[in-house]
Short mmCIF file of all heavy atoms in Angstrom, two decimals:
data_model
loop_
_atom_site.label_atom_id
_atom_site.label_comp_id
_atom_site.label_asym_id
_atom_site.label_seq_id
_atom_site.Cartn_x
_atom_site.Cartn_y
_atom_site.Cartn_z
N ALA J 90 0.40 -1.17 4.06
CA ALA J 90 1.34 -2.06 3.38
C ALA J 90 2.75 -1.49 3.41
O ALA J 90 3.73 -2.24 3.56
CB ALA J 90 0.89 -2.30 1.94
N ILE J 91 2.87 -0.19 3.29
CA ILE J 91 4.19 0.47 3.36
C ILE J 91 4.82 0.22 4.72
O ILE J 91 6.01 -0.10 4.82
CB ILE J 91 4.04 1.98 3.04
CG1 ILE J 91 3.73 2.17 1.55
CG2 ILE J 91 5.27 2.76 3.46
CD1 ILE J 91 3.17 3.53 1.19
N TYR J 92 4.02 0.35 5.78
CA TYR J 92 4.53 0.06 7.12
C TYR J 92 4.91 -1.41 7.25
O TYR J 92 5.98 -1.74 7.78
CB TYR J 92 3.51 0.44 8.19
CG TYR J 92 3.57 1.90 8.58
CD1 TYR J 92 2.67 2.81 8.05
CD2 TYR J 92 4.52 2.35 9.49
CE1 TYR J 92 2.72 4.15 8.41
CE2 TYR J 92 4.57 3.69 9.85
CZ TYR J 92 3.68 4.58 9.31
OH TYR J 92 3.73 5.90 9.66
N TRP J 93 4.05 -2.32 6.78
CA TRP J 93 4.36 -3.75 6.88
C TRP J 93 5.62 -4.11 6.10
O TRP J 93 6.37 -5.00 6.50
CB TRP J 93 3.18 -4.60 6.37
CG TRP J 93 2.08 -4.73 7.37
CD1 TRP J 93 0.80 -4.25 7.25
CD2 TRP J 93 2.12 -5.39 8.64
NE1 TRP J 93 0.07 -4.56 8.36
CE2 TRP J 93 0.86 -5.26 9.24
CE3 TRP J 93 3.12 -6.07 9.33
CZ2 TRP J 93 0.55 -5.79 10.49
CZ3 TRP J 93 2.82 -6.60 10.58
CH2 TRP J 93 1.55 -6.46 11.14
N ALA J 94 5.88 -3.42 5.00
CA ALA J 94 7.06 -3.70 4.18
C ALA J 94 8.32 -3.03 4.73
O ALA J 94 9.41 -3.25 4.21
CB ALA J 94 6.81 -3.24 2.75
N ASN J 95 8.18 -2.20 5.75
CA ASN J 95 9.32 -1.49 6.37
C ASN J 95 9.99 -0.50 5.42
O ASN J 95 11.20 -0.27 5.52
CB ASN J 95 10.35 -2.48 6.93
CG ASN J 95 9.81 -3.24 8.10
OD1 ASN J 95 9.20 -2.66 9.00
ND2 ASN J 95 10.00 -4.54 8.10
N ILE J 96 9.21 0.07 4.52
CA ILE J 96 9.76 1.09 3.62
C ILE J 96 10.14 2.30 4.45
O ILE J 96 9.40 2.73 5.33
CB ILE J 96 8.75 1.42 2.51
CG1 ILE J 96 8.65 0.19 1.58
CG2 ILE J 96 9.15 2.67 1.74
CD1 ILE J 96 7.58 0.28 0.53
N GLN J 97 11.31 2.84 4.17
CA GLN J 97 11.91 3.88 5.00
C GLN J 97 11.33 5.27 4.78
O GLN J 97 11.12 6.03 5.71
CB GLN J 97 13.41 3.87 4.72
CG GLN J 97 14.19 5.07 5.12
CD GLN J 97 15.62 4.99 4.63
OE1 GLN J 97 16.24 3.94 4.66
NE2 GLN J 97 16.15 6.10 4.16
N THR J 98 11.08 5.62 3.51
CA THR J 98 10.66 6.98 3.17
C THR J 98 9.66 6.91 2.03
O THR J 98 9.78 6.07 1.14
CB THR J 98 11.88 7.83 2.71
OG1 THR J 98 12.88 7.79 3.72
CG2 THR J 98 11.50 9.26 2.42
N VAL J 99 8.68 7.82 2.05
CA VAL J 99 7.69 7.93 0.97
C VAL J 99 7.69 9.37 0.48
O VAL J 99 7.53 10.30 1.27
CB VAL J 99 6.27 7.54 1.45
CG1 VAL J 99 5.25 7.77 0.35
CG2 VAL J 99 6.24 6.10 1.95
N TYR J 100 7.86 9.53 -0.82
CA TYR J 100 7.71 10.82 -1.47
C TYR J 100 6.48 10.72 -2.36
O TYR J 100 6.30 9.72 -3.06
CB TYR J 100 8.92 11.17 -2.33
CG TYR J 100 10.20 11.34 -1.53
CD1 TYR J 100 11.25 10.42 -1.64
CD2 TYR J 100 10.37 12.42 -0.67
CE1 TYR J 100 12.42 10.57 -0.92
CE2 TYR J 100 11.53 12.58 0.06
CZ TYR J 100 12.55 11.66 -0.06
OH TYR J 100 13.71 11.81 0.65
N PHE J 101 5.63 11.75 -2.35
CA PHE J 101 4.43 11.73 -3.18
C PHE J 101 4.17 13.11 -3.75
O PHE J 101 4.70 14.11 -3.26
CB PHE J 101 3.21 11.22 -2.38
CG PHE J 101 2.79 12.10 -1.24
CD1 PHE J 101 1.84 13.08 -1.42
CD2 PHE J 101 3.34 11.94 0.03
CE1 PHE J 101 1.44 13.90 -0.37
CE2 PHE J 101 2.95 12.73 1.09
CZ PHE J 101 2.00 13.72 0.89
N CYS J 102 3.32 13.15 -4.76
CA CYS J 102 3.01 14.41 -5.43
C CYS J 102 1.61 14.90 -5.03
O CYS J 102 1.49 15.79 -4.20
CB CYS J 102 3.12 14.22 -6.94
SG CYS J 102 2.83 15.74 -7.87
N SER J 103 0.56 14.34 -5.59
CA SER J 103 -0.80 14.78 -5.28
C SER J 103 -1.21 14.31 -3.89
O SER J 103 -0.69 13.32 -3.39
CB SER J 103 -1.77 14.23 -6.32
OG SER J 103 -1.42 14.70 -7.61
#
Side-chain angles (χ1 to χ4, degrees):
I91 288 163
Y92 275 99
W93 281 115
N95 292 315
I96 291 173
Q97 162 187 320
T98 305
V99 175
Y100 296 111
F101 64 92
C102 183
S103 300

